Amino acid sequence: MRIDQADPSRRPTSALPATVPVAVIGAGQSGLAAGYYLRQAGVRCVLLDAGGEVGESWQRRWDSLTLFTSAQFSGLPGLPFPGDRAHYPGKDEVVAYVREYAERFDLPVLTDHPVLSLRRDGDGYLLTTPHGDCRADQVVIATGAFGSPRVPDFAAGLSPDVSTLHTSEYRGPAQVPPGTVVVVGDGNSGRQIAGELASTHHVVLSCSERVSPPLPQTVLGRDMFWWMSVLGVMSLPVNMQAPDPVVGDRVPELVAEGRIRTVGRVTAAEGAELLVADGERVKPSTVIWATGYETDWSWLDPEMLDDDGQPRQSEGLGALPGSYYLGLYRMRTRGSALIGFVGRDAERVVAAVTGSAAQGSTTVSSPAEGESS
């Protein structure tokens, strides 16, 4: 297997290469981190992204979104997040940052290049896109943790007179008709949106039985993620069933002020009403589904999937030779899908990529003179 040295004078092209040593699928935070380490290792690669421009997935999030990690813990490898380290960046700042990142390190991103299928091809892989095919010796699948919006099946029982939005469609309070808003889902996104809407609407927040542990954003003047990093929490394996902590939660305060009412888990929809597990019925004018995302892996070679249709991988190392994964939810640790921590997994995966090539009797060169470091 051959890995070519990167050419520092080469700018990203608009043409899909017929062959490439490494193809990275996805140019979100995990794909960009992989691209950075591949460039540092002198590996020629291409990053294929479905979006029309870098950062598009962040751009589509709601207007007031802020990270629950401060700038100190929101940077990708090689480029700290700009500004005050204690500042909590908004989505527009993240968009500007990832675009600057791709440009700063001359990452060969091809936007508007969704990968429609990925199949084994001899000892490599064949990637099919709307712009043609590309053959890669190795692939890094970095499509991330946010795929298609997930809405419960029972939502089909809700009357069409009730306005509905998934968090992926929500932008701000002006988008939501007057009346009672039920936010279904009490993770970080659901609670941020419920808190914002409490200023303009009557808000009911539906909470699951699994209690999300509340964490303050700062403790003794230090960011919570500073403490979690120092104590090694962000480097530990994590139980997939454990709920994510809610960071910097304003909901208890707003509940005490009477601006948000909480109910239990919504279990069904009947016409204009939502049914709660304890038997209560709630009549919303709008429902916001803060119920997360699911990923469709049907475009992968069936050999790459297990019986549940999920990737066959262990901590980012695929079961098939030359296949790797990044950005999966809790792939190795709590930080595997977070912008400020995905770089740890990316460094490890790229080391495996270059190590695999070296075992094939190929020398992987150091970054060329003038390459960004």
Side-chain angles (χ1 to χ4, degrees), residues 175-252:
Q175 180 187 16
V176 181
T180 298
V181 181
V182 177
V183 180
V184 180
D186 63 337
N188 283 284
S189 295
R191 286 176 175 253
Q192 271 197 32
I193 291 172
E196 177 176 63
L197 287 171
S199 299
T200 55
H201 293 73
H202 176 229
V203 177
V204 177
L205 176 64
S206 167
C207 304
S208 66
E209 286 105 354
R210 296 193 308 164
V211 178
S212 300
L215 294 176
Q217 286 193 310
T218 59
V219 175
L220 299 177
R222 294 276 194 177
D223 186 287
M224 174 54 67
F225 283 87
W226 183 89
W227 290 103
M228 293 173 73
S229 297
V230 167
L231 296 174
V233 174
M234 298 304 294
S235 300
L236 294 174
V238 62
N239 179 356
M240 287 293 288
Q241 303 305 314
D244 284 325
V246 175
V247 183
D249 184 19
R250 294 179 56 233
V251 166

Side-chain angles (χ1 to χ4, degrees), residues 339-353:
I339 187 170
F341 296 89
V342 71
R344 300 176 181 181
D345 287 354
E347 184 175 22
R348 179 176 178 272
V349 161
V350 170
V353 170

Side-chain angles (χ1 to χ4, degrees), residues 17-366:
T19 62
V20 69
V22 179
V24 179
I25 305 174
Q29 58 216 33
S30 53
L32 293 175
Y36 169 84
Y37 281 117
L38 288 166
R39 293 284 281 172
Q40 297 306 296
V43 176
R44 188 167 63 86
C45 63
V46 65
L47 282 66
L48 304 176
D49 195 76
E53 51 190 338
V54 173
E56 186 174 288
S57 60
W58 283 101
Q59 198 167 37
R60 290 197 301 261
R61 306 304 294 277
W62 69 91
D63 295 340
S64 66
L65 178 146
T66 58
L67 300 184
F68 52 75
T69 52
S70 64
Q72 179 183 1
F73 298 102
S74 300
L76 291 168
L79 184 65
F81 204 99
D84 185 344
R85 287 159 57 87
H87 169 63
Y88 290 87
K91 72 156 190 179
D92 291 340
E93 295 172 89
V94 177
V95 171
Y97 170 76
V98 294
R99 289 178 181 172
E100 166 63 20
Y101 191 88
E103 183 176 349
R104 173 77 63 91
F105 297 111
D106 194 20
L107 300 182
V109 178
L110 294 183
T111 56
D112 192 30
H113 276 68
V115 175
L116 305 177
S117 70
L118 174 66
R119 296 290 182 265
R120 284 285 283 172
D121 180 34
D123 60 354
Y125 293 85
L126 184 68
L127 298 85
T128 299
T129 82
H131 305 280
D133 294 344
C134 172
R135 190 189 186 282
D137 295 329
Q138 302 190 77
V139 290
V140 178
I141 300 160
T143 49
F146 300 101
S148 303
R150 182 175 62 229
V151 174
D153 292 340
F154 66 72
L158 200 61
S159 167
D161 295 332
V162 178
S163 174
T164 61
L165 292 170
H166 186 268
T167 53
S168 61
E169 302 168 300
Y170 175 78
R171 295 296 176 268
Q175 180 187 16
V176 181
T180 298
V181 181
V182 177
V183 180
V184 180
D186 63 337
N188 283 284
S189 295
R191 286 176 175 253
Q192 271 197 32
I193 291 172
E196 177 176 63
L197 287 171
S199 299
T200 55
H201 293 73
H202 176 229
V203 177
V204 177
L205 176 64
S206 167
C207 304
S208 66
E209 286 105 354
R210 296 193 308 164
V211 178
S212 300
L215 294 176
Q217 286 193 310
T218 59
V219 175
L220 299 177
R222 294 276 194 177
D223 186 287
M224 174 54 67
F225 283 87
W226 183 89
W227 290 103
M228 293 173 73
S229 297
V230 167
L231 296 174
V233 174
M234 298 304 294
S235 300
L236 294 174
V238 62
N239 179 356
M240 287 293 288
Q241 303 305 314
D244 284 325
V246 175
V247 183
D249 184 19
R250 294 179 56 233
V251 166
E253 172 190 340
L254 295 171
V255 169
E257 295 173 358
R259 296 165 64 188
I260 290 180
R261 184 169 76 89
T262 59
V263 298
R265 180 172 59 89
V266 171
T267 59
E270 292 183 0
E273 295 182 321
L274 293 173
L275 279 63
V276 183
D278 63 4
E280 181 178 358
R281 289 174 174 264
V282 182
K283 191 171 184 177
S285 58
T286 301
V287 176
I288 295 180
W289 301 108
T291 44
Y293 296 79
E294 56 191 2
T295 303
D296 176 14
W297 297 107
S298 62
W299 55 278
L300 291 183
D301 192 313
E303 288 186 73
M304 304 175 77
L305 303 176
D306 62 20
D307 292 340
D308 295 324
Q310 297 301 305
R312 294 171 55 207
Q313 58 86 31
S314 176
E315 297 188 346
L317 307 182
L320 297 189
S323 66
Y324 306 88
Y325 297 82
L326 273 178
L328 300 181
Y329 178 66
R330 296 186 176 184
M331 188 179 79
R332 295 185 66 232
T333 68
R334 287 189 184 276
S336 287
L338 299 181
I339 187 170
F341 296 89
V342 71
R344 300 176 181 181
D345 287 354
E347 184 175 22
R348 179 176 178 272
V349 161
V350 170
V353 170
T354 57
S356 175
Q359 290 175 8
S361 302
T362 297
T363 301
V364 179
S365 60
S366 300

